[in-house]
Every structure is written in structure tokens, then in C-alpha cells.
């Protein structure tokens, strides 16, 4: 349920840099819980709809492995991979929306921008699709060599609203300020797509490969 090829290519690109410097890093795309358990660090992407992503995570047998990774090793969530980390999402037909993994307290809510206009007079569109700036809400090793207010690529209709503002590592303005990056202990997650965000996105993946929380 993610753009696995794009993510893998971006991570492999920075892994080759590390390997040329003498640090051998193998990048593996897998749905095998045993391989996730054996990995040194884990990237959890997600794309599409939250209910589908949570269902596939459960049905594939990966949920337990992801929970273990979140407790024991560096974990990077991307897009819906970030949203799944929270308690629940409004997205879904069931009453109360869709339960998440509950690894970071908070909820995922839909943009409510009907009738709102941007500064140039154009309508706010949902989903937000395109480049937007990220304000670094707190210092974090994954922001290394990435300037504050750097531009990243977004595609989403829902956004994270953590219950503890200390877990907000990045914020973006789209009809109002929202959390676009989360951080807690060994977990970091982004609403934007680093793999589609050129040099700054590669820098974030590079930092993740060398992050030892």
C-alpha cells in the first residue's frame, strides 16, 4: 500500500553513498515479518486510504513486526505510514473512523477548507498536492543539513493532530498550520514524501540511515 519502488530507490541511492564510504547497507523491500524483525532499521510507507493500509498491515502479518520495530529500532513512517502511527483516523466508513497503531497519541483529521481562498485568490484544493514548506518545530538529527522552511512534496487529504505538541517535529501551513513531521524517541515520520522531494528528501533518508537514537 505504498510507493515502494520510489522509496526503495531513494533509500538505495543514499545507501550506495554509505557503502562507497565503507558502510555496507542492504535495502530490502519485504512483507516478511521475519525480515522486518531482522532489519537494523525500518521504513514504513503508505499510500492510498488509511483503512486499506491498516487492513493490509494486519492481513500480511506485519503489524506485530512493525510494533516491535517501533519499540526497538529506528522507524521512519512516510505519508499514511505516518498517519498509521496515531490512535485513529477520521478516514473510513466505520463509526469512529479507523483505529491506528496507537504508537503516538493523537488523531488524523481531514482538511476542512471548503470556500476558503488562498492569498492569490485561488481555492484551497483537497487533496493538497504539490510543494510546500516545512517549519522545523524542534531540533532533530533527521533535520541535519536541511534548512528550516525547506520545500517538500505533499499529496494528502488528511493530516496528523498529535495530542502532545512535543511530538510535532515539523509544521506546514495549508489553510492553517498542521503537523507535517512527527518524532518520538526512535520514531520519526513525515506526511510529505521525501522520495519525491529532491535533494532535501534524500538528505532526510541519508540522516535516517545514520541515525542512532
Amino acid at each position: 500500500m505504498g510507493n515502494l519502488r520510489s522509496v526503495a530507490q531513494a533509500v538505495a541511492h543514499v545507501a550506495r553513498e554509505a557503502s562507497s564510504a565503507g558502510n555496507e547497507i542492504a535495502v530490502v523491500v519485504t512483507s516478511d515479518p521475519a525480515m522486518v524483525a531482522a532489519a537494523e532499521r525500518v521504513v514504513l510507507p503508505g499510500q492510498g486510504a488509511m483503512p486499506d493500509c491498516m487492513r493490509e498491515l494486519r492481513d500480511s502479518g506485519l503489524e506485530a513486526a512493525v510494533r516491535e520495530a517501533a519499540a526497538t529500532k529506528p522507524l521512519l513512517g512516510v505519508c499514511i505510514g505516518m498517519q498509521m502511527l496515531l490512535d485513529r483516523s477520521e478516514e473510513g466508513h466505520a463509526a469512529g473512523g479507523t483505529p491506528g497503531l496507537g504508537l503516538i497519541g493523537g488523531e488524523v483529521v481531514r482538511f476542512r477548507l471548503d470556500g476558503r481562498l488562498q492569498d492569490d485568490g485561488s481555492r484551497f484544493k483537497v487533496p493538497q498536492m504539490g510543494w510546500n514548506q516545512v517549519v522545523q518545530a524542534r531540533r532533530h538529527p533527521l533535520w541535519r543539513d536541511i534548512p528550516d522552511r525547506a520545500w517538500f512534496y505533499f499529496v494528502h487529504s488528511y493530516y496528523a493532530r498529535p495530542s502532545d505538541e512535543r511530538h510535532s517535529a515539523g509544521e506546514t501551513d495549508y489553510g492553517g498550520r498542521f503537523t507535517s513531521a512527527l518524532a518520538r524517541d526512535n520514531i520519526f515520520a513525515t506526511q510529505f514524501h521525501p522520495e519525491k522531494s529532491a535533494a532535501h528528501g534524500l538528505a532526510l533518508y541519508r540522516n535516517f540511515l545514520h541515525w542512532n537514537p
Side-chain angles (χ1 to χ4, degrees):
M1 295 300 301
N3 52 331
L4 300 177
R5 180 175 173 79
S6 296
V7 173
Q9 286 181 332
V11 177
H13 177 81
V14 295
R16 285 193 295 271
E17 296 175 351
S19 297
S20 65
N23 300 311
E24 290 296 328
I25 299 174
V27 178
V28 179
V29 177
T30 184
S31 58
D32 181 352
M35 293 198 72
V36 174
E40 178 182 305
R41 57 196 66 229
V42 173
V43 179
L44 175 66
Q47 189 166 287
M50 172 84 163
D52 297 333
C53 288
M54 286 301 302
R55 184 187 64 248
E56 290 298 324
L57 193 67
R58 290 191 302 268
D59 292 350
S60 66
L62 281 172
E63 182 175 349
V66 169
R67 289 185 178 278
E68 180 188 11
T72 60
K73 64 190 71 174
L75 174 71
L76 176 63
V78 176
C79 195
I80 296 183
M82 168 180 165
Q83 297 179 8
M84 289 193 289
L85 299 176
L86 279 81
D87 294 320
R88 62 173 291 276
S89 172
E90 289 183 344
E91 188 175 14
H93 299 297
T98 302
L101 294 169
L103 298 171
I104 296 178
E107 60 182 352
V108 179
V109 297
R110 183 175 173 82
F111 283 119
R112 291 178 172 84
L113 300 172
D114 291 349
R116 299 273 306 277
L117 299 179
Q118 303 190 62
D119 291 341
D120 63 1
S122 63
R123 292 184 301 106
F124 280 102
K125 296 180 179 180
V126 179
Q128 177 190 194
M129 185 178 300
W131 295 83
N132 207 336
Q133 290 178 293
V134 175
V135 175
Q136 296 172 16
R138 53 177 277 201
R139 294 176 62 87
H140 194 280
L142 265 68
W143 292 136
R144 182 171 180 258
D145 297 327
I146 300 173
D148 192 24
R149 298 184 181 274
W151 293 82
F152 290 91
Y153 190 81
F154 289 80
V155 182
H156 65 125
S157 300
Y158 294 79
Y159 62 92
R161 191 159 63 190
S163 54
D164 188 336
E165 64 180 15
R166 292 175 297 179
H167 294 150
S168 181
E171 296 180 346
T172 296
D173 194 329
Y174 193 69
R177 189 72 69 92
F178 69 91
T179 293
S180 54
L182 288 170
R184 180 183 67 76
D185 302 326
N186 56 302
I187 299 172
F188 194 90
T190 68
Q191 182 60 65
F192 55 83
H193 289 270
E195 69 282 356
K196 297 180 180 179
S197 299
H200 293 147
L202 289 177
L204 193 144
Y205 280 131
R206 184 180 299 112
N207 293 337
F208 177 69
L209 289 189
H210 299 285
W211 181 36
N212 292 301

